[in-house]
């Protein structure tokens, strides 16, 4: 407890109220808030939870009306955070201790901070005859008409995944043109992909890591692959809103999430912690086997409309 309190903020200086807007699942959000308040008993935290799109719509409506009660934002992706940063809606926290993290995990100017690595790789049904090891395997004859993936038109993680693959694979957009020609289907989100592959409707899919790994542990006939070229990742970043009424408590909340104790909480929830000195969840390979492709959030933000339009054109959406 003393260790957590020390990491959470200045001793005896953190009190008052804090409002968190988050896209975390309800159980995870409650656990995060409870752990923070246990370490910082002088702070009372309330949270509002919804999907990132709806949380952002609520925040934008409040900002347009003149004020928001939110102090801290914990959402799925860095592209959304980058947009808020460019509009001067976030508060920098230059004193945050990120020494344990590799470059690129957090915003270089410390406006937002990654808390997890939620990667997108390949899921396959164990009835499949081909075991994929590469993104290129989804272009093979064995995968013809058998690939499902979330659409970047409806999934922020899928948009980041698309931008990452286009920016890192030699074929670029040609990879997605090949997928479309091979009968791949893009629709909805990650949950729909899992349902199709686990149910045998499709044999292969692109999906965030924790869903098939969790379902495999429950007995579902699925396996998850980290392709040899690498994976994309969203980092579920946390940021302080520039309008916060309690910057000290907001900074303490950031400190807690990126501390080793906060990262161990993420691990206990079944996620791959962003901090490399924390273990990986059961069912995940060693960190050395997980290659995360580089990703530029600012560039992805600038190109997001063009990327979604091009994807829609390729898949006829």
């Amino acid at each position: 407890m003393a260790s957590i309190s020390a990491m959470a903020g200045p001793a005896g200086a953190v009190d008052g109220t804090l409002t968190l807007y988050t896209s975390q699942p309800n159980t995870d959000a409650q656990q995060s808030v409870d752990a923070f308040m246990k370490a910082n008993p002088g702070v009372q935290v309330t949270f509002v939870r919804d999907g990132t799109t709806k949380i952002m719509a609520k925040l934008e409506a409040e900002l347009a009306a003149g004020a928001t009660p939110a102090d801290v934002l914990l959402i799925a992706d860095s592209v959304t955070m980058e947009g808020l940063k460019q509009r001067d809606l976030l508060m920098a926290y230059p004193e945050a201790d990120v020494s344990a993290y590799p470059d690129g995990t957090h915003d270089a100017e410390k406006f937002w901070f990654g808390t997890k690595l939620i990667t997108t790789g390949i899921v396959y049904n164990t009835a499949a005859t081909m075991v994929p090891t590469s993104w290129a395997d989804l272009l093979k004859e064995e995968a013809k008409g058998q690939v499902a993936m979330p659409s970047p038109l409806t999934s922020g993680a899928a948009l980041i995944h698309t931008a990452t693959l286009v920016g890192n694979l030699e074929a670029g957009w040609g990879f997605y043109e090949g997928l479309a020609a091979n009968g791949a289907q893009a629709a909805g989100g990650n949950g729909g992909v899992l349902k199709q592959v686990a149910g045998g409707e499709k044999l292969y899919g692109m999906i965030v890591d924790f869903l098939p790994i969790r379902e495999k542990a429950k007995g579902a006939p699925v396996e998850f692959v980290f392709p040899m070229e690498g994976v994309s990742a969203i980092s579920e970043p946390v940021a302080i809103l520039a309008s916060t009424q309690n910057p000290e408590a907001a900074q303490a909340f950031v400190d807690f999430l990126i501390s080793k104790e906060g990262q161990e909480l993420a691990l206990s929830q079944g996620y791959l912690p962003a901090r490399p000195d924390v273990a990986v969840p059961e069912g995940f390979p060693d960190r050395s086997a997980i290659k995360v492709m580089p990703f530029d959030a600012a560039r992805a933000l600038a190109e997001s409309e063009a990327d979604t339009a091009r994807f829609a054109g390729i898949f006829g959406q």
Side-chain angles (χ1 to χ4, degrees):
M1 179 62 67
S3 173
I4 294 177
S5 296
M7 292 298 297
V14 184
D15 56 19
T17 61
L18 200 64
T19 299
L20 168 69
Y21 279 17
T22 183
S23 62
Q24 284 187 305
N26 271 314
T27 299
D28 295 348
Q30 190 66 63
Q31 289 174 348
S32 299
V33 165
D34 288 347
F36 171 75
M37 289 194 296
K38 188 175 182 180
N40 297 269
V43 183
Q44 183 64 39
V45 182
T46 58
F47 71 88
V48 177
R49 188 273 154 195
D50 213 322
T52 293
T53 301
K54 291 184 178 179
I55 280 289
M56 289 307 301
K58 175 178 174 61
L59 179 65
E60 293 287 2
E62 291 169 347
L63 292 172
T68 176
D71 298 289
V72 182
L73 194 60
L74 177 60
I75 55 174
D77 68 275
S78 57
V79 174
T80 300
M81 288 297 196
E82 189 65 25
L84 293 171
K85 171 190 169 182
Q86 292 185 14
R87 293 164 58 196
D88 297 323
L89 294 174
L90 301 182
M91 177 183 291
Y93 181 20
E95 299 81 16
D97 181 6
V98 299
S99 58
Y101 291 85
D103 291 344
T105 306
H106 313 299
D107 174 52
E109 297 176 293
K110 297 186 177 179
F111 279 92
W112 49 261
F113 304 85
T115 66
K116 300 176 180 68
L117 289 178
I118 302 175
T119 72
T120 292
I122 300 173
V123 61
Y124 67 93
N125 189 291
T126 54
T129 56
M130 175 190 68
V131 175
T133 60
S134 162
W135 291 113
D137 288 337
L138 300 182
L139 303 177
K140 291 181 176 179
E141 181 66 26
E142 295 95 324
K144 189 175 182 65
Q146 291 295 326
V147 177
M149 57 181 156
S151 170
L153 279 66
T154 55
S155 167
L159 178 58
I160 288 175
H161 180 64
T162 300
T164 303
L165 290 193
V166 168
N168 286 276
L169 296 184
E170 184 177 352
W173 279 107
F175 172 70
Y176 280 94
E177 292 166 352
L179 285 173
N182 207 33
Q185 293 183 352
N190 287 275
V193 172
L194 178 64
K195 184 176 180 181
Q196 290 180 75
V197 176
E201 182 181 343
K202 300 290 185 183
L203 293 178
Y204 306 97
M206 295 184 186
I207 195 168
V208 291
D209 51 28
F210 67 92
L211 287 177
I213 289 174
R214 285 179 180 177
E215 291 306 303
K216 176 189 174 183
K218 297 175 185 177
V222 294
E223 292 284 351
F224 183 78
V225 175
F226 292 88
M228 64 176 67
E229 301 95 335
V231 291
S232 67
I234 56 174
S235 58
E236 196 166 273
V238 61
I240 302 169
L241 287 163
S243 58
T244 179
Q245 298 301 301
N246 195 342
E248 292 81 11
Q251 289 172 351
F253 190 77
V254 170
D255 286 340
F256 175 72
L257 290 184
I258 64 175
S259 71
K260 191 168 185 179
E261 290 80 6
Q263 291 290 285
E264 286 172 346
L265 174 62
L267 171 64
S268 73
Q269 295 168 337
Y271 298 103
L272 180 63
R275 186 169 167 141
D277 59 352
V278 178
V280 301
E282 184 176 352
F284 280 69
D286 186 85
R287 281 184 184 271
S288 62
I290 303 173
K291 177 184 177 183
V292 177
M293 294 178 173
F295 172 73
D296 186 332
R299 179 179 177 180
L301 175 66
E303 298 177 353
S304 60
E305 289 189 14
D307 284 351
T308 53
R310 185 157 185 178
F311 187 96
I314 290 172
F315 287 92
Q317 297 182 352

